[in-house]
Amino acid sequence: MQTLETPRLLLRPYTSEDAGFVLDLYSRLEVQRYIGTTPKLMQDRSEALALIEAWARVDDGTCGIWAVQDKKGANLAGTLLLKSIPASGPQRAPSGDTEIGWHFHPDSWGRGYASEAGAVVLAHAFDAGLAQVVAVTNPANTASMRVCTRIGMQHRGSTDRYYNTDCELFTADNPA
Ligand SMILES: CC(C)(COP(=O)(O)OP(=O)(O)OC[C@H]1O[C@@H](n2cnc3c(N)ncnc32)[C@H](O)[C@@H]1OP(=O)(O)O)[C@@H](O)C(=O)NCCC(=O)NCCS
């Protein structure tokens, strides 16, 4: 998986050594509140390790799940995701679209890290040749919607096309 860099951040693959951070991040209600239809808090380290393994399988040279690391302190700040988004329906089959997403630790909120990391992953997606990237958010998740617009995505209203739920839809088209 391609390592990506911004002025303040390093985006690199997660490893099993990051399990403590992953557990801390995904066991928090304030992080999980708007992820998925029913928030599910991570319970233990084995779940974190399983997730890190599953994330490694997303890597196809374009898509991937990145650990976002603060270059200065070397501490982890969050997760950046570029992956296939499931269509609504009983099978949750791949929709054919690619989504971008961000999950950051509350200690790293309010610094512009999600927008900085989101922008470099969006640029990577377009460099890799994707025609369009989508993002979906819970309608109440104003912080995430602000990240979408800050990185240049367009708000397309609400949709029930993905994840068997109503989401706010944002899209960005490859400028090339
Ligand atoms: C969504 C989420 C990533 C947004 O985090 P965030 O910290 O608000 O977003 P950013 O990292 O882009 O930071 C932007 C904020 O930092 C401030 N900021 C401080 N320094 C900054 C800098 N150098 N550059 C840009 N913004 C800066 C901005 O003013 C902005 O504040 P505002 O939103 O009040 O205007 C975060 O709330 C989160 O992880 N939530 C839980 C998971 C989640 O819901 N994910 C989305 C699922 S769809």
Side-chain angles (χ1 to χ4, degrees), residues 4 11 62 66 80-82 98-102 114-135 147-154 170-175:
L4 301 170
L11 283 73
T62 301
W66 286 265
L80 226 295
L81 308 92
L82 185 70
T98 302
E99 74 166 324
I100 188 169
W102 28 76
S115 299
E116 194 168 311
V120 77
V121 168
L122 195 57
H124 155 80
F126 292 146
D127 285 349
L130 290 184
Q132 189 184 62
V133 174
V134 310
V147 175
C148 291
T149 48
R150 228 181 255 127
I151 67 172
M153 301 187 83
Q154 307 294 317
F170 292 80
T171 65
D173 294 327
N174 195 328

Side-chain angles (χ1 to χ4, degrees), residues 9-80:
L9 305 169
L10 182 71
L11 283 73
R12 48 97 172 150
Y14 271 111
T15 74
S16 56
E17 290 183 10
D18 303 319
F21 173 77
V22 169
L23 177 57
D24 182 13
L25 181 61
Y26 291 98
S27 58
R28 290 169 180 266
L29 183 58
E30 68 266 51
V31 171
Q32 294 282 23
R33 188 168 38 162
Y34 299 128
I35 301 176
T37 35
T38 347
K40 195 177 157 285
L41 305 191
M42 191 175 275
Q43 300 296 325
D44 56 44
R45 196 180 156 80
S46 66
E47 270 186 71
L49 286 166
L51 192 57
I52 290 169
E53 274 184 27
W55 279 338
R57 292 193 289 272
V58 175
D59 177 17
D60 67 359
T62 301
C63 288
I65 314 291
W66 286 265
V68 182
Q69 191 175 325
D70 183 339
K71 277 190 193 169
K72 240 189 199 159
N75 57 307
L76 287 171
T79 307
L80 226 295

